[in-house]
Amino acid sequence: MDSAAASTHAHAYNGVRTSSAPRALATEAVHAGRDDLARQGLHAPPIDLSTTYPSHDSRAEAARIDAFAATGADPQGPPVYGRLGNPTVARFETALARLEGTESAVAFASGMAALSAVLLARASLGLRHVVAVRPLYGCSDHLLTAGLLGSEVTWTDPAGIADALRPDTGLVMVETPANPTLAEVDLRAVAHACGSVPLLADNTFATPVLQRPAEHGARLVLHSATKYLGGHGDVLGGVVACDEEFAGRLRQIRFATGGVLHPLAGYLLLRGLSTLPVRVRAASATAAELARRLAADPRVARVHYPRLGGAMIAFEVHGDPHEVIAGVGLITPAVSLGSVDTLIQHPASISHRIVDADDRKGAGVSDRLLRLSVGLEDVEDLWRDLDGALEARMRPPRGAGR
């Protein structure tokens, strides 16, 4: 992707129209969703914590609610109620849509709440069937497989998508690079195979810094905003970037189900976007070097690192991966990813434990696989920690040889 072309048309936010000239991704990350602040005499975006908004004009308020009920469009005029929308969250949504190159974005309380809203939106039209490609994030896999929202899933490889479509197929879902194996799919080819069925691409690992799925035909772009968009391990959120028509339906689902993003979370996510390009590029450079060293290490059986690049590494070790987890000191042994500090976890035990063992292994998630989310530490410090953890794992067990 040419990250210099992050926007090619004019945008409006709170009545303020920005230039129609394209702006580089780094510039959009800093300014999108904030274009009106200087005109208001503000520098930092305000946090609107209101749950409700007073109005003496109940007729106009009723008209706004009717309009929202009909189309799901953002209510024109003053806000009405926190479940319909929040000004602080709207700033984050505007910014993320700009970075992904879509018309709109709709934010939710978590990435799983965002995916659930998409499934409910399609099911409400009688389109309950989903075609999906493994691997996906473990909870996404479970949500589809268990049919918790009334959906039915057909698992296939990318080449089998077209044949798996049915009249009631409402969605095709892929994740690329995939969690946790970092397998990649050709988004343009997949989108072509989908025909008129919307393609949902989980872009959590790549972020719009490395990949913008909408440019390759995806109608829906999903993020667990908890990860790289927030970037500091202190906020939960999810977001779907999409066209305005689909966004309207998602807003209606969010209003009905209540999976709203808290305004403070919206503020933190907007702040996280401002440093997203710098963080992703710096962590990616370190990850590439660590992947190179791991690939040359005889204690490591296999390394998975995407052609796209990025800050995620998966690697399989000879022997017991739990000993590596136990042996790290600087690296944080924890679930999640995308933070400024480096995290390591064992997918088969944690993030993908909820997936059936045979399905897990069939998707390439072996019991010896470790997932490393590279942060912003110095590469030599990280390698020293990994090297020590791998060395500790290679030592004979206590009492051996007695």
Side-chain angles (χ1 to χ4, degrees):
M1 182 197 81
D2 181 4
S3 61
S7 176
T8 58
H9 58 279
H11 301 274
Y13 184 79
N14 283 358
V16 177
R17 191 168 180 82
T18 64
S19 170
S20 61
R23 300 197 300 199
L25 184 77
T27 303
E28 287 283 35
V30 172
H31 290 280
R34 306 168 180 84
D35 292 309
D36 63 318
L37 293 180
R39 292 172 176 82
Q40 297 186 54
L42 299 172
H43 185 230
I47 306 175
D48 187 333
L49 295 173
S50 297
T51 58
T52 192
Y53 299 86
S55 173
H56 291 285
D57 190 347
S58 57
R59 292 185 181 86
E61 195 166 58
R64 291 199 300 277
I65 293 173
D66 286 346
F68 178 84
T71 66
D74 282 323
Q76 297 300 307
V80 178
Y81 185 59
R83 258 192 301 123
L84 272 80
N86 172 273
T88 306
V89 172
R91 290 181 180 277
F92 165 64
E93 292 172 329
T94 296
L96 193 277
R98 295 262 286 274
L99 292 181
E100 282 290 4
T102 60
E103 290 179 338
S104 301
V106 184
F108 295 86
S110 69
M112 291 308 300
L115 175 57
S116 296
V118 172
L119 295 175
L120 289 171
R122 301 307 283 163
S124 69
L125 301 174
L127 302 171
R128 298 179 178 276
H129 180 241
V130 178
V131 175
V133 176
R134 281 191 172 114
L136 298 176
Y137 168 52
C139 286
S140 299
D141 188 307
H142 177 66
L143 181 64
L144 295 175
T145 301
L148 296 177
L149 298 178
S151 59
E152 178 187 350
V153 63
T154 297
W155 296 101
T156 185
D157 58 25
I161 288 175
D163 290 337
L165 298 178
R166 304 187 330 205
D168 64 338
T169 303
L171 191 71
V172 174
M173 183 173 181
V174 300
E175 182 176 2
T176 181
N179 186 353
T181 66
L182 303 173
E184 296 171 273
V185 302
D186 183 336
L187 281 172
R188 196 173 297 279
V190 167
H192 179 74
C194 291
S196 61
V197 177
L199 170 63
L200 169 67
D202 188 329
N203 204 33
T204 298
F205 276 20
T207 82
V209 177
L210 301 178
Q211 170 179 270
R212 300 208 297 176
E215 294 180 344
H216 302 287
R219 186 176 176 190
L220 306 164
V221 182
L222 174 70
H223 286 272
S224 172
T226 306
K227 311 306 192 294
Y228 287 105
L229 304 190
H232 293 76
D234 57 5
V235 58
L236 285 173
V239 63
V240 180
C242 55
D243 58 62
E244 176 56 27
E245 180 185 357
F246 209 110
R249 191 61 177 159
L250 291 177
R251 293 187 196 104
Q252 291 177 319
I253 296 293
R254 182 177 64 183
F255 172 72
T257 60
V260 296
L261 184 70
H262 191 275
L264 180 58
Y267 173 85
L268 290 172
L269 290 172
L270 181 64
R271 186 174 70 170
L273 289 185
S274 64
T275 60
L276 178 66
V278 176
R279 288 186 286 106
V280 169
R281 288 166 181 154
S284 297
T286 300
E289 174 59 19
L290 290 176
R292 184 189 68 79
R293 297 186 188 188
L294 287 167
D297 196 306
R299 299 166 296 184
V300 176
R302 186 180 180 188
V303 174
H304 306 259
Y305 188 68
R307 294 186 301 275
L308 188 70
M312 299 298 301
I313 306 171
F315 61 101
E316 299 170 46
V317 296
H318 295 293
D320 188 353
H322 299 284
E323 293 299 320
V324 179
I325 297 283
V328 295
L330 175 67
I331 296 168
T332 304
V335 72
S336 199
L337 57 105
S339 186
V340 291
D341 61 321
T342 298
L343 308 177
I344 192 169
Q345 66 111 346
H346 182 241
S349 296
I350 306 179
S351 64
H352 289 70
R353 188 67 177 180
I354 201 168
V355 179
D356 178 82
D358 290 338
D359 291 336
R360 197 166 61 226
K361 292 177 181 178
V365 185
S366 78
D367 289 340
R368 294 186 179 183
L369 185 76
L370 292 166
R371 192 188 72 187
L372 189 71
S373 169
V374 178
L376 299 181
E377 301 95 338
D378 184 84
V379 65
E380 297 301 334
D381 290 327
L382 290 173
W383 178 249
R384 189 178 303 113
D385 196 39
L386 274 176
D387 181 55
L390 288 166
E391 186 64 28
R393 189 200 57 73
M394 295 293 289
R395 293 173 187 157
R398 293 178 183 175
R402 293 181 182 179

